[in-house]
Each structure stands twice: as structure tokens, then as C-alpha cells.
Amino acid sequence: MKKKTVSLLLSLAMCLTMLPGQSVFAAETSTETETEAVSESTGNHVENLIVGTIADQNVFNSLTQTDAFGRMNYNGFTQGDFVYRDENNNLQPYFWKSFEISEDGKQIDFTIPLDAVWHDGEPVTMDDVVFTFEYMRDVRKNGSLQNLTEVKVTGDDSASLIFSEPDAYYWINSSCNNNSCVYAKHIWEGIDDPTTLDGPEAAIGCGPYKLVSYDSDAQVSYYEAVPENDFLGEITVDKVTVQSYSDETTLMMAMMNGEIDTMYNYANPIDADVIDTVQGTPDLDLGESDFTGCYQMEYGKDRAPGNDQAFREAASYAIDYNQLATTINGEYGKVPGKGVIPPSCKGYDESIGSLEFDADKAAEMLDEAGYKDVDGDGYRELPDGSQMDLTVIPQYSSKSMDMRNRIAEVIMNSLDKVGIKNHVDNDSLSNSEVWEDTVTKGNYDISITLTTSGMASYSTAFRYFMGELRDGESSWLWGTIRDDSFRDTYYAMTQAVNDEQYIENNQKLQKYVADTMAAEALCWETAFFPYRTDKYTGWENYPSWGTVHATTWYRLTAK
Amino acid sequence: MTRHIAQKIATAFVTIFVIITISFFLVHIMPGDPVIHLVGQEEYYYLLDNDPETLNKLIARYGLDDSLPVQYGKYLKNIVTMDFGPSYTNQKPVVSNVLKACKWTLFLSIPTWIIGGLLGALLGVIAGWKPGKLFDKIMTPILLIVNTIPSNCFCLILLIFLAYRMKLFPINGMVSPGVEGMARVQSILQHMFLPLIIMILYRTSGDFMLMKSAVSQVRSEEYIMTAESKGLPSRKVLFRHVMKNAMVPYATSFCMQFGGILSGSMIIEVVFGWKGMGTILYNAVSNRDFPTAQFCFLLSAALVVFANLISDIVNAAIDPRIREEGIQDA
């Protein structure tokens, strides 16, 4: 009886306090590429697709890219993204019906649909498009639009972006990973700081789905299709529910139990050790693909011994790459090639050989290069006889520091075994800014960093190896390659006006790092983005991305 | 007695002031620039290179360009007015963010404090009153094991077996989506059951050990033997002599546990996706969200000091020796 009374009181108290906690609102709220309808089926619509994620669901703002809402918008979800990347990493029009980049790389001509609507019912117009680019350049100070000189309207549904520099290819490629989409002039005009707008209007877009409601206590949000915004054909998924979980383990448990249909976690695949527990679950596909990102290490070349190519070549033989692959990606990891970027990246040069582990050869090469144990303490000295003790700095990460520490441990043990004394810089482990300061000043002998799949898709790992940037840039100065030819080749790659130029320069960079051993990848990984196969058909597992992307909304159908 | 309490209250206020001051300076001397977290790393570096003016405006807007003493003065004013401004991470008022998180933590910690406290005391008394008997032999090793297993490990084991394998409880979160009214309340109860049971088990095991130790210690005192030899029934000996003395350390511990009521469930909150005080404090410190972190510290510190104060008062009420010491000191 007493238990019942306590339970009743507890329930009553919760009832009173919980109800206001629920936040619900209704958002009534040279080669020309053209949009191709990707959906052929008109039957068997998916009634409600449930997507699991690890991101929080507290912020619902189209411009901040924060939380699950912001991240889901990388998939042409509630926003009208101009373009999207297909499964082969090629750009395709999305909100834009077509686009064409000029030969000099200074102009993009595009067309827009005339029947798209904002989620509050207002029509999307060319005014909105012009406003978007001016707002992103002048108010949001978008770096890739700094050389945009004019948005020229050429017709009811056509316009051109005109750049003073050949930035068109760069902008469209980098913007694709950055949720570049059209914004509503009637909502955002006059708002300098988008984070200050936190009402329902902040979530309004012109994507194929509108936010219907969310419950931040339950960490869930609900969306329904907007048939007018059918950029790639008929929308076959009627409703979408996004549900958040605390970590990968609980996310996978929920999927195995059938609570969610698929997962989306931006560029973060499920860890190999968690995947091992998922394997064998009926009606569940592991969503396996080659990962485009990778962990990499760079020798600090501002000081000895990292500035000696003979040392770098010898040290590369000392590292046990099989152990590294197992550490990073379990049984799925592969020994990487000397060109750093994985085969799944655009421009991968398969003629460049792989890294090799041969401790005896490493010791022999170190001896030949003059790195000998002169004082008999078991560790080698520099060729001039002075002490050698390498400083290793794994990149700080609040979420995956344990993995980086394990990687550092494998590298350090490998080097130790051939008599190279080393230590980890403990200060850098504690804080991202301390790490950033150390790496920017080049106060390291070996740095361990990560290239995400988003970065790998265009800017590549080479960006992190640069010791000198072009004028006006000073961010992410993590590398110590101070060679003008490397820097110029990198910018020639990012400012390419077409794929051929991009690939040509990308391959030069691969060759450069392979020849100089300035840096190396640590493992080529397999990515896992699992999904259930019992209810729906038409899943497409994009490499390094998973099954939630811009075409999911048009291709997925119920069985 | 009144004077004794007044003295303790004055000390509590001074302690809170010192904690407020220390926490302010600790948060501000932590390495790291909050502006990076305000605008995002990529945008921060871009603005630094191309538009430092915008960055400066942002710094001024949040008062980050003020000297430390000025920021400290503003901070004290914020405490008095209970206005900590917007959170750096989601721009919503810090006070409402934190109080909302507190509410969820209290759903777990209040029942834990009460049920765990009572259960631990009851079982501890039984085991300590008759040490070495069957009850003691069974309960002590079980609760000792519970007490020594790391809580995150224990959480995962129960999560896998009870939530994933047997599907008795939800895997994660605080409430199921799409439920309203009483169904929502039921859903919350269902979600909180597993973390609550784990927290109660841990609290019970700790309190059990303490109470068992206190009771068995008191039980071996000579005055207990005297009471028994006078022919007092066991029940009277237990309640009149043993419990009264054993309660002093237990009451102190029980009251002090109240101090950790907002901050004591961080690991369990993280494992079960319970968006409470532990999670918000962790995120605030990681993201250099000064106002949120400071308000969290303030609340936690105030609770600890308040619990300490209550513990002093309760002890004085239970134990006349403490009252007398207080009067003599005065």
C-alpha cells in the first residue's frame, strides 16, 4: 500500500514537472550537370523511417550546423542544398536543377526550380538565392566565397556566380561538405548572428522534409515530407524520425532490437570492436565500405632528426603497421600505401607502393645514417653524438583520445624496439589549445592526426602537412613541410577548375610524400554504417557516409 | 543551540563565497579560448585571418575583453540577480538549461538518497547486530562485490542483459518518443528504473558497510554489555543504546550524501543517456562554456555546504555532547 502511495506521488510529481518539458511546435511553416530523377517507384512508400544518431537534439537552426538537426542537413534533408555528392564522390545538382562551371573556373551558371516552397508556405524565389550568396559572403564571411564579385540573375530561373579568382570549382566542392543551401530572405535578412534566432522559424528550409516537432527530453525529432520540394523525383519516404542515443554501443543495441532502421553519425563510422558484437545479427547489414579518411603521422621537420630524410625512411621501416591496423580498425584495417590517401579517394595513385615493417632493416638503415648508440645506454644518439629523445604528440580529441593514445603507444613501442628513445608530450594530451599551440610552433618530432572523410573528400590529408600557407591564411598550420613546390601544388589542387587538374595535382602530392617520407598514413580503414534490411529496400551505402544521404529520400521503398 | 547554528550558517556563507571565487578563477585560468567554441573552430580561424573586427565584436558582446576583476564583479552581480546570461553553446539562458538538467538528475538522485539510505541502514543494522550470522554472511559479500565493481561496467552488464537481451527496459534515454500525459509519466518511470536500481544498489552497499561497521563497533562497548546484563530486552538495547550511538556517523554520512545529489550520478547518466547535471557540467567544461560551468559549480558547492550545515545541526540534535561542545566554544 505504502509502495503504491510512493509510486503514485512520484508519478504525480513527474506529471506536473514533465509536461512543460516537452517542446513541440509545428513548423507551418564546361560540363553541364542536370538533375536526374532518381526515383522510379510510385508505390510502397516508407511510412516512417527511423534514423538513429549520437548527436544531441537541442538546437534546430538551419545556419548553425549544430546537433543532429544541423548534421542531418548535410543530406539535403530540411534544407535545399545546392548540390550533393553521389556514391562515386561526383557532384550532382540538388536544389539547383543544373549547373555548369566555366573553363577558367571563375563562373558557375545554374538554374533553380520555380515550384519549390519554404516550409512556411512562401515560394522560393531568385531573390532568396541572391540574398543567400550575399548573406554568406558579407555577413557570415564564408571563406570560400571571399572572391565572389557578383550574383548575376540571367533569367527567371537562371543566374551566375562570378568570382574574381578561379574559385568556382573550389567553392562548389568545399561547400558540398558544408551544407551550402538556399536561405529564406524573409527569415534571415537583418540577422547578423544566426545563433540568436531560436524560434521555429530558424528551422525553416526548402528541403524535402520539414521539422514538425521535437522533444528534447526524449532526444527525438519528427519530420514529414514536403511533396513540392521533390528535387530528385518522387519522395518515397513520407516521414522521418531522428532518435538520439548516448553512444555507439547503445545505438547498435537499438538497431539490433529493431528500434531504429539505420544510423547517421556524419563522418564517424561504428568502431570495429563494436561491429564485432553486431556481426551475425539477422536482417542487419554492416554497411561496409572503404573509409576515405585516415589517421596519419608526420615527422617534425623543423629540427633533427625529423629533418633528415634518411632517418624518416629508416624509422618508417621500424613501425609495425599490422599492429597499427589491428589497433585502429581490428581485423578490417589494411597496411597503408606511401602516398597517404586511401584508394577510395579521388585521384588515388595505385602505382605508389605500400609501407613495410622490417625492424632489422630499420636498425641497419639507422646505423648507416649515423644514428648509433654511442654511450651504450640502449638508445641511439644523433649523428653528432648528442642525445635523441623524440617528442610524440597525438592530436587532442575529447571523444576519441583513447584511440589516439593507443596509436601513439604502438608507434612509440615500435621505435623503442630499434633503439629510438621517445616520449609522449603529456601537456598536449590535456587540452586542444595546448596541442594546437605545440603543433603550430612545430615543437614535436612525430605528430599523430586524423583526416575525416569530409576533409578527405576534397581538401585531403595534405592540408595538414603544410608548414606555410598562402597569404591571409594562418589556420590549421599543423605541418612542417616548408617546400614551396608542395604548397603551390596543394593550392593548384584545391583551385583546380576541373577534375583532371585536381587529380593531376593530387597525384603529385602523393608522390611527394612517398618520395620524401615527410608523412605517412597509419592505416587504411574499413568503415561501417549498419542498417536494417527487414522492412525497406533501395538502400545505397555510400562509401564513408552510410545509407542516409540526399538520395535516400527518393530511393528507399517499403518491402 | 541557536548560537551554534547561527555560527555554522555564517561559516557556510563564507565557505560558499570562497568557493565561488575559487571556481571563477579556476574556470578562467583553464587553457583555451572560449571564442573558438562560440563560433566554431573553422570559422574562428577564418575570422582571425580575414575579419578580426567581427571576432572582436563577439568578444565584446560576451564581455570576454574585460579585465579579470571586472569579469569577477559582473559574475558576483550575476549570482545575486541569478542571471548568468545565455549559454555559449546553445544561446539559451544558463539558469533554465541547468535547472532543467537538475530536474532530471533529481529524479534519479532523490529516490536513491532516500531508498538507498533507508535500505542500507536497515540491512547494516541487522548485519551489525548479529555479525557472522547467516544474514551477514550472505549480504556482506554481495554488497561488497557491488561496491567494488566500477559503475560503468555494472551499468553495461545490466544494460546488455536486462535491456538488450531480455528487453525488459528501454536501452537508452529518458522517455520514449511520441507519448503524452500519463503514458509519458509511465515511460519516464520505465526509463529511470534501470539507472535508479543501479544507483540504489551502490548507495545501499555503501551505507550498509558504514552502518554495519558502526553497529558492530557500538555493540562491543561495555555499556551495551551492562544494558544486556541488566536484563533489558534485545530490542530495547538495540534501539535505545546501539542505534542512538551508531546513528551519529551514519547521519553525518547521510546528510553529506545530500551534497552530492546533483553531481553524484555522472557516469550512470552518461551510460544511460540521461541528460542531467553530470552531462551538462561535462559539456560545459569541455566547451569552455564559462557561465554554465560556473553556475553548475555554484549549485553543487552550495548543496555540499548546505548538506554539511544540515549534518552539523542533525548531529547536534542527536548527540548532546556536540551541543555542549558548541555552547562551550561559544
Side-chain angles (χ1 to χ4, degrees), chain A residues 206-281:
Chain A
C206 64
Y209 292 90
K210 69 176 180 182
L211 174 67
V212 178
S213 66
Y214 68 87
D215 181 343
S216 56
D217 290 338
Q219 287 290 291
V220 65
S221 50
Y222 304 95
Y223 306 83
E224 66 183 30
V226 180
E228 294 91 332
N229 300 338
D230 51 350
F231 306 133
L232 298 183
E234 181 188 354
I235 299 170
T236 57
V237 179
D238 295 339
K239 288 179 183 171
V240 177
T241 299
V242 179
Q243 173 75 61
S244 295
Y245 293 84
S246 59
D247 55 28
E248 282 186 1
T249 310
T250 49
L251 180 75
M252 284 300 98
M253 282 184 196
M255 186 175 287
M256 288 190 283
N257 274 356
E259 286 179 25
I260 55 174
D261 301 311
T262 186
M263 62 156 290
Y264 173 69
N265 195 24
Y266 177 45
N268 303 297
I270 298 294
D271 282 348
D273 51 353
V274 178
I275 275 298
D276 286 341
T277 64
V278 176
Q279 219 160 23
T281 307

Side-chain angles (χ1 to χ4, degrees), chain A residues 22 141 193 222 246 431 474, chain B residues 46 49 51 61 180 288:
Chain A
Q22 190 189 18
K141 310 284 183 188
D193 182 359
Y222 304 95
S246 59
N431 182 286
S474 62
Chain B
Y46 174 73
D49 289 342
D51 191 18
R61 192 177 133 203
E180 301 294 336
R288 309 291 181 280

Side-chain angles (χ1 to χ4, degrees), chain A residues 283-324:
Chain A
D283 300 322
L284 197 143
D285 192 298
L286 294 182
E288 189 174 335
S289 64
D290 289 334
F291 194 47
T292 50
C294 65
Y295 281 101
Q296 68 258 342
M297 63 174 254
E298 186 186 354
Y299 297 95
K301 290 171 285 297
D302 287 350
R303 61 192 191 193
N307 58 1
D308 179 0
Q309 185 169 335
F311 173 83
R312 300 197 298 265
E313 283 172 355
S316 83
Y317 280 104
I319 294 165
D320 187 342
Y321 297 103
N322 281 312
Q323 199 184 350
L324 266 178

